[in-house]
Amino acid sequence: MIVLDGRRMKTKAITHTYLADRFHFPFYYGRNLDALADLLAGMKDEVYLFYAQDVLDAMPEYGAEVIRVFYDAEKENQDFSFWTNLGESFF
């Protein structure tokens, strides 16, 4: 299980550095949404994002895209699950 704190995701660069650290991504992680999606596609884990609204407040458009990548990974990868407190209001 991986727990993410949305309060730590303030900018694109900080977000990708934080994710690389929390997920122990390899050194070649591209630090962009495509690279994130590629790595999540093969992951077998549960991810919990707390304070998701803080991500959206700090980066309204990009934060929504980041969260969408996690939801998409959950749909495409049966071994991966994602939870956040945004609920149906996100969609």
Side-chain angles (χ1 to χ4, degrees), residues 8 16-25 31:
R8 303 213 33 213
H16 286 289
T17 298
Y18 177 65
L19 294 176
D21 179 60
R22 295 296 298 142
F23 285 98
H24 305 288
F25 285 157
R31 297 178 189 274

Side-chain angles (χ1 to χ4, degrees), residues 9 11-13 15-17 19 25 29-41 55 59-73 76:
M9 301 165 73
T11 68
K12 290 180 186 182
T15 295
H16 286 289
T17 298
L19 294 176
F25 285 157
Y29 170 56
R31 297 178 189 274
N32 60 58
L33 296 176
D34 289 334
L36 178 61
D38 288 345
L39 289 171
L40 294 179
V55 179
M59 308 176 292
E61 291 179 28
Y62 195 78
E65 291 178 39
V66 169
I67 293 169
R68 175 67 58 204
V69 168
F70 281 97
Y71 277 119
D72 289 348
E76 297 172 14

Side-chain angles (χ1 to χ4, degrees), residues 4-6 9 47-52 55 67 82-85:
L4 301 175
D5 182 344
M9 301 165 73
V47 175
Y48 295 86
L49 172 60
F50 292 95
Y51 303 103
V55 179
I67 293 169
F82 178 66
W83 178 90
T84 184
N85 58 340

Side-chain angles (χ1 to χ4, degrees), residues 72-91:
D72 289 348
E74 181 180 47
K75 290 179 193 171
E76 297 172 14
N77 179 354
Q78 295 178 4
D79 296 320
F80 180 81
S81 63
F82 178 66
W83 178 90
T84 184
N85 58 340
L86 292 174
E88 296 298 317
S89 64
F90 181 73
F91 300 100

